[in-house]
Amino acid sequence: MEVTLIPGLFTTEVAYITFLEEIINFFLFFEFLSLVVKYFKNNFHFPLRYFIYIGITAIIRLIIVSHESAIDLFLWSSAILALVISLVLVVRYGKEPNTGERL
């Protein structure tokens, strides 16, 4: 017996996956909009770390939506690890271009 809060909302697994894809795309869209707002607030400069955040989020979305192959899952997880390592390096050793201050 299947119990849901809203009967008939997810009649199939495909409907659930489609709903999940749309929710994650919604958050990716707002993450992109926040990047554009940050661009205008930082004197027309994009910090590299925001692009890395978007990349990590996009790969996590890909893993959530399609996770059929173990090898693909391992490769995408390795890509996330590489992005996290690069994020740590950027935050630790990166400097603001105009002021020379640490991030």
Side-chain angles (χ1 to χ4, degrees), residues 29-70:
F29 174 72
F30 277 107
E31 190 173 353
F32 180 74
L33 284 179
S34 71
L35 181 69
V36 171
V37 168
K38 201 68 156 162
Y39 173 74
F40 289 112
K41 285 185 177 179
N42 287 340
N43 296 326
F44 309 106
H45 168 71
F46 278 129
L48 178 63
R49 62 185 170 180
Y50 292 112
F51 287 112
I52 296 173
Y53 293 148
I54 289 177
I56 292 171
T57 306
I59 294 173
I60 290 172
R61 175 201 171 272
L62 183 70
I63 288 173
I64 290 172
V65 172
S66 74
H67 52 272
E68 290 87 24
S69 171

Side-chain angles (χ1 to χ4, degrees), residues 8-28:
L9 179 63
F10 302 120
T11 55
T12 64
E13 186 177 336
V14 173
Y16 174 73
I17 291 173
T18 303
F19 177 74
L20 190 60
E21 282 181 15
E22 292 300 320
I23 291 293
I24 295 172
N25 281 335
F26 179 76
F27 285 116
L28 281 173

